[in-house]
Amino acid sequence: MFKAFLILVAFFLPSLLACRVMIAGEDKTDEFLEIDHHGETYVKCHGTQICENATITDCPVVECKKEDACLKSKIINFTQSVRCIDELSCHKAEIQGLTQMDDENTTVTVYCLGNSACARASLSGSLGEVYCAGVQSCSNVRVKGAKLVKCRNGKAKEEACRDFATFETDCMDCSESHACAPRNNQCRFKSLNADPDDSFLPCSPFQVQGKCRSSS
């Protein structure tokens, strides 16, 4: 049992040493860094405004849960996932993955789960997937660098991706009901490889657009 613990510590030690949570100029890493029962190292921002204006760097996983948990926070160079759970959990946050992943097969994901979970947030870097699920979960969001964006579980006139949500992605998936706003410029996207002068295209409800990998 002790040997297994040492192996676990050795495996996660680089992440533990690099990961930092700074709030109001103070290092709060020890208060927020945890290892769950699966052995996963993650930053646990559970509570209303608990990580507001925090700067969280070089952490594999960050979980923001409760209203405004990570309001206006900067989550930089995460390597696995950011989970924005509950209403406004990552409101106005700046979420940035690594600019380039060493392993192209590594999936880096941002989950926006809940009403306005990532409203007015900025997401960038080498992102595998951005998953927007909930009423206005990605309203007025700006995403640049995702291979895949999925919008899900909105409502009529309260779609998951709306209010001038802007996506630069290889694949834009609006295939489900109330996923993307149908009105002009309420949801727009363009390819990652598009010319900087190319115009954004409107998201098309009930469609998958762009260069998407086959699910088969």
Side-chain angles (χ1 to χ4, degrees), residues 84-102:
C84 302
I85 304 168
D86 291 333
E87 185 173 1
L88 295 168
S89 49
C90 291
H91 185 211
K92 298 182 181 179
E94 178 184 334
I95 301 173
Q96 180 181 320
L98 294 172
T99 55
Q100 184 174 352
M101 296 297 295
D102 293 333

Side-chain angles (χ1 to χ4, degrees), residues 146-178:
K147 293 181 180 178
L148 170 64
V149 174
K150 287 184 178 180
C151 302
R152 299 285 188 269
N153 304 333
K155 293 182 179 179
K157 299 183 180 180
E158 294 182 308
E159 296 84 3
C161 298
R162 57 166 293 121
D163 293 337
F164 300 99
T166 302
F167 303 95
E168 294 184 48
T169 177
D170 285 334
C171 180
M172 187 73 206
D173 185 345
C174 298
S175 58
E176 296 190 3
S177 297
H178 309 310

